[in-house]
Amino acid sequence: MNETVSFEDRVRQHYPKAVTMSTFREKIRDVLANGHSIDLAKVLLATSLCADDIVAVRGPEVPSHKTKLKHDFLGPFSMGGLAGLPYSGLTGMSTIGHHIPEKGSVLIAYGPHIGISDQGEPGKLLRPGQRCESSACGALTLALKHFQSSPGYQPAYDDDDTELMTLERRLLPFRGHILTADNPLKAATDCAYNIIHGLIGRYLRSQKKVFECEYIALVGGIIINTGYQHDDYIDLRHLSVRRAQEL
Ligand SMILES: [Zn+2]
C-alpha cells in the first residue's frame, strides 16, 4: 500500500468528483438560502435513501463530522428502503406534497450508497463497534450475488422480502451491463442511482398538483460511507431548484 496516498485520494480514485458531506451540506444551504432566498426554517426534507443505519445514523454518539443533511431541515419524510429506492411510491410522493409548511419549500434528497474501506476498497466498511468489515450497500451486494449465482436468475415474488424483490426486478434489465463491468458493485450502484432518479422525477410529475409550495429542490447522488474517523462523501449527480409551477 502506498502510504503517501491520502484517504481522500482513495475515495477520488473511484469517484473523482466526490466532495465531503460537510462541504455538500454547506453548498445546499448556500444554494437554497442565498441562491434562491428560501427560508430554510420552512423547508421539508424528503429522502429516498437506504435504510442502512450508516446512512440514517444520528444521536449523541455520532461524531460531528458525520452529521447528516437531515439535521438542517424539517423532517425527513422517508420514501426510501433497501438501496434507496422510493418504495413508498406515488402515495409517498403525494403525502410529501401535503406535508410542506405554508409558503414553504421541499428538498428531496435521493440516491444509493456505497462504502469505501480505509484501504480504499469500494463496497466495504468497518462499522462502529465491529472488528471486521462488512458490505455496503448490503442490499445491492446481495442482489449482485443473486445475479451472479446463475445466468437465468429471476427474483421470486416474496411477500416477506418485497423491497429486495423490487430492487432486483428494477435492476434486472441492466444485469448484463452490471456483471461485465470492471467493478460490478459500482456499476450496480450507478444503475440504482439512475433508477431512483427516474422514479423520483416520474412520481413528482405525476403528483405535481399537490405541490402547492414555493420551491422544489432535488438533490441526487451516490453517498460514500467511510470509517468513523473520516467524513462521509457524496458524488453529486443532480442538483436543481424549481418553482413548483414549473414542474
Ligand atoms: Zn444499503
Side-chain angles (χ1 to χ4, degrees):
M1 193 199 314
N2 182 354
E3 294 297 339
T4 62
V5 176
S6 70
F7 181 70
E8 188 151 292
D9 290 338
R10 294 185 202 284
V11 171
R12 292 210 170 118
Q13 278 169 6
H14 295 286
Y15 295 97
K17 294 179 185 167
V19 295
T20 62
M21 202 55 90
S22 35
T23 303
F24 165 72
R25 284 176 66 202
E26 281 309 306
K27 181 185 171 86
I28 296 299
R29 292 175 67 89
D30 181 56
V31 167
L32 298 182
N34 302 326
H36 295 274
S37 303
I38 293 173
D39 181 354
L40 298 187
K42 290 185 180 175
V43 175
L44 174 67
L45 174 66
T47 61
S48 190
L49 304 170
C50 188
D52 192 325
D53 44 286
I54 56 169
V55 175
V57 69
R58 73 185 305 174
E61 77 286 1
V62 178
S64 58
H65 64 263
K66 288 286 194 191
T67 306
K68 308 291 180 181
L69 194 64
K70 66 165 107 181
H71 293 255
D72 299 339
F73 303 104
L74 300 171
F77 183 102
S78 175
M79 300 184 79
L82 297 180
L85 267 62
Y87 298 95
S88 64
L90 298 171
T91 303
M93 190 60 86
S94 168
T95 308
I96 292 165
H98 285 109
H99 289 187
I100 303 167
E102 290 285 323
K103 299 194 186 314
S105 297
V106 65
L107 168 63
I108 305 178
Y110 55 87
H113 70 123
I114 188 166
I116 290 195
S117 73
D118 284 358
Q119 288 70 40
E121 185 184 355
K124 292 288 178 195
L125 183 78
L126 184 63
R127 293 168 187 273
Q130 296 195 342
R131 279 191 298 179
C132 297
E133 290 175 350
S134 55
S135 300
C137 173
L140 281 174
T141 304
L142 184 58
L144 180 59
K145 206 166 142 188
H146 288 161
F147 284 5
Q148 288 166 332
S149 67
S150 101
Y153 173 77
Q154 292 287 329
Y157 186 82
D158 185 348
D159 255 343
D160 293 322
D161 213 358
T162 55
E163 290 191 5
L164 186 70
M165 178 197 68
T166 303
L167 172 64
E168 291 182 351
R169 283 171 58 93
R170 298 271 194 204
L171 285 172
L172 206 55
F174 312 102
R175 171 167 56 186
H177 165 74
I178 291 169
L179 294 183
T180 55
D182 287 344
N183 186 314
L185 183 62
K186 279 179 65 185
T189 308
D190 283 340
C191 285
Y193 171 78
N194 292 332
I195 290 166
I196 296 165
H197 177 73
L199 290 172
I200 293 290
R202 181 154 67 80
Y203 294 167
L204 197 50
R205 286 190 297 277
S206 157
Q207 303 302 314
K208 62 182 178 186
K209 281 187 188 157
V210 297
F211 281 79
E212 294 173 344
C213 57
E214 297 284 309
Y215 285 95
I216 297 168
L218 297 183
V219 55
I222 293 175
I223 294 174
I224 299 158
N225 296 116
T226 64
Y228 247 37
Q229 70 276 35
H230 305 293
D231 196 352
D232 286 337
Y233 288 75
I234 182 167
D235 184 28
L236 189 61
R237 303 275 171 104
H238 179 88
L239 174 58
S240 64
V241 183
R242 281 177 291 179
R243 288 275 185 189
Q245 56 267 36
E246 291 168 3
L247 267 183

